Amino acid sequence: MRRPRFRPSDIAQQVVGGFLLAGPFVVTEEVWSLAANMAGWQALVTVGIVTSVGYGALYKADRGRDPEIEEEVAGVPVRFISLMAVAFGSVALLAFVFGAPDTFDAGWRIGIRAVCIGAVFSVVGAATADSVF
């Protein structure tokens, strides 16, 4: 079976979907309040949710994809690595560009937790855009 190619257009699709759903959550005060009250273990569980949702959306919901035959880095499919980078990176970038940490008087710990919360939504957009187009 031929390996499916992971192309720059696939990354572009993930970026569009990830930014589309990340934007509204980066600037929402409730997200930053939740992040301020989260414990470290809750942030880690949130990261687990993001990775589970991302993997499920890419490889379980889309029966046409097989992670076993995709290009890999250290045993992890490149498409999945890209998805995680987009999910967390788009939220972090928007938070920085919009000045959200300063606006909501948040330090780096709260900022990381807010990024984890936003990534829950960003990964849905990124994986959906990657799978649909």
Side-chain angles (χ1 to χ4, degrees):
M1 182 178 226
R2 200 179 109 206
R3 283 183 182 245
R5 292 196 51 217
F6 183 64
R7 301 174 311 269
S9 62
D10 296 320
I11 296 171
Q13 291 164 356
Q14 290 177 351
V15 168
V16 169
F19 272 89
L20 183 67
L21 288 186
F25 295 98
V26 170
V27 297
T28 304
E29 185 174 6
E30 289 81 3
V31 168
W32 292 86
S33 295
L34 284 170
N37 291 308
M38 282 177 78
W41 69 268
Q42 291 169 312
L44 290 175
V45 169
T46 304
V47 170
I49 291 169
V50 172
T51 57
S52 297
V53 167
Y55 190 87
L58 283 182
Y59 301 113
K60 299 301 179 188
D62 188 347
R63 298 276 184 214
R65 284 206 182 110
D66 182 359
E68 300 297 321
I69 62 171
E70 287 194 2
E71 296 176 43
E72 298 178 343
V73 173
V76 180
V78 173
R79 182 179 302 274
F80 182 70
I81 293 169
S82 173
L83 182 69
M84 292 298 100
V86 167
F88 290 98
S90 61
V91 179
L93 181 63
L94 287 176
F96 175 74
V97 170
F98 293 160
D102 291 336
T103 300
F104 298 111
D105 195 28
W108 66 271
R109 284 187 178 116
I110 294 172
I112 290 171
R113 292 173 185 157
V115 166
C116 292
I117 293 169
V120 171
F121 304 98
S122 180
V123 75
V124 171
T128 301
D130 188 10
S131 295
V132 171
F133 299 107

